């Protein structure tokens, strides 16, 4: 691990807004705020909104700035990324923000049933070959339901046509109530101050002419969940390249293919 990352990890240990509990630590310790976020951290009863795979925390911070009437928690396993959002939150003096460094599969270790009101999933890996690892699969929705308030809301914002099509089909397959849905957020006129918050990666996709997709739906407390058929959903070619190559502009990709 580079010295810069080590420095960030060490600095985050001093941030009161950051909780670093990767899987190994959770095997040794019980997370102390589970079921107590309102009373012992935020000191209010405002709704808790969770961003999964928050990266650098741009969305978490943007939401917290726009809606001080809610509490926001960003979660990611990449500590060096969380450092950016946590530091920005401190600089802005935001008292309605927290960050968790841990695996998303460990959600139940951090939140009690019904403790979370909404979940945002922003630009996740579409996991085209691994349904169980897809953050909008039935497996993960079942996990989210264990911590969401009854009828809690899930928002997916993605550049991936595959992930959007899969999620839209899953929502329909399970008869989940849709709040809003669009395959072209900015072209549809549906964008608002919340959905218009742009992460670093979203700005990259927009600069390459890609449309941003959004689907928001509620998750009933007891409805059975199942993944839909997906063999006929077209895969995203540009996601098949290694991460370093996907940073190239389209003309550079065409050279690689020639």
């Amino acid at each position: 691990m580079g010295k810069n990352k080590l420095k960030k990890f060490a600095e985050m240990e001093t941030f009161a807004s950051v909780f670093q509990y990767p899987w190994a630590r959770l095997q040794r310790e019980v997370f102390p705020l589970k079921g107590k976020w309102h009373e012992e951290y935020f000191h209010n009863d405002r709704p808790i909104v969770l961003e999964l795979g928050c990266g650098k925390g741009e969305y978490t911070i943007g939401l917290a700035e726009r809606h001080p009437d809610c509490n926001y928690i960003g979660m990611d396993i990449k500590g060096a990324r969380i450092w950016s959002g946590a530091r920005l939150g401190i600089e802005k003096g935001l008292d309605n923000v927290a960050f968790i460094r841990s695996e998303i599969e460990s959600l139940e270790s951090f939140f009690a049933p019904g403790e979370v009101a909404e979940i945002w999933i922003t630009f996740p890996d579409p996991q085209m070959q691994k349904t169980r690892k897809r953050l909008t699969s039935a497996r993960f929705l079942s996990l989210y339901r264990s911590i969401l308030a009854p009828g809690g809301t899930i928002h997916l914002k993605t550049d991936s046509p595959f992930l959007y099509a899969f999620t839209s089909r899953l929502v329909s397959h399970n008869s989940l109530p849709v709040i809003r849905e669009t395959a072209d957020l900015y072209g549809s006129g549906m964008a608002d101050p919340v959905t218009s918050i742009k992460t670093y990666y979203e700005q990259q996709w927009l600069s390459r002419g890609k449309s941003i997709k959004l689907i928001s739906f509620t998750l009933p407390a007891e409805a059975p969940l199942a993944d839909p058929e997906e063999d006929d959903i077209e895969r995203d070619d540009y996601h098949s390249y290694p991460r370093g190559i996907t940073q190239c502009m389209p003309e550079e990709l065409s050279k690689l293919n020639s």
Side-chain angles (χ1 to χ4, degrees), residues 176-204:
L176 302 178
V178 176
I179 299 172
R180 55 185 169 178
E181 179 178 0
T182 176
D184 185 2
L185 176 62
Y186 300 108
S188 67
M190 292 177 63
D192 57 33
V194 169
T195 57
S196 295
I197 298 170
K198 296 180 179 65
T199 67
Y200 169 77
Y201 288 110
E202 179 176 355
Q203 292 179 51
Q204 283 194 328

Side-chain angles (χ1 to χ4, degrees), residues 8 27 52 61 64-65 85-87 92 98 114 131-132 144 149 154 175 177 182 201 204 207 212 214 223 241 248 258:
K8 289 179 178 179
Q27 306 316 298
L52 299 177
I61 295 297
E65 286 186 298
R87 188 164 186 79
K92 290 178 175 290
T131 304
R132 281 181 54 81
Y144 306 153
I154 296 177
S175 300
T182 176
Y201 288 110
Q204 283 194 328
S207 71
I212 304 302
L214 174 75
Y241 293 98
C248 300
S258 61

Side-chain angles (χ1 to χ4, degrees), residues 138-164:
R139 171 194 174 215
F140 274 98
L141 291 187
S142 296
L143 175 61
Y144 306 153
R145 186 160 60 186
S146 70
I147 65 168
L148 274 173
T153 305
I154 296 177
H155 311 272
L156 170 70
K157 195 177 181 186
T158 181
D159 63 290
S160 166
F162 170 82
L163 182 59
Y164 171 71

Side-chain angles (χ1 to χ4, degrees), residues 208-221:
R208 297 169 202 178
K210 299 187 183 300
S211 61
I212 304 302
K213 298 92 170 62
L214 174 75
I215 181 167
S216 300
F217 56 95
T218 58
L219 196 58

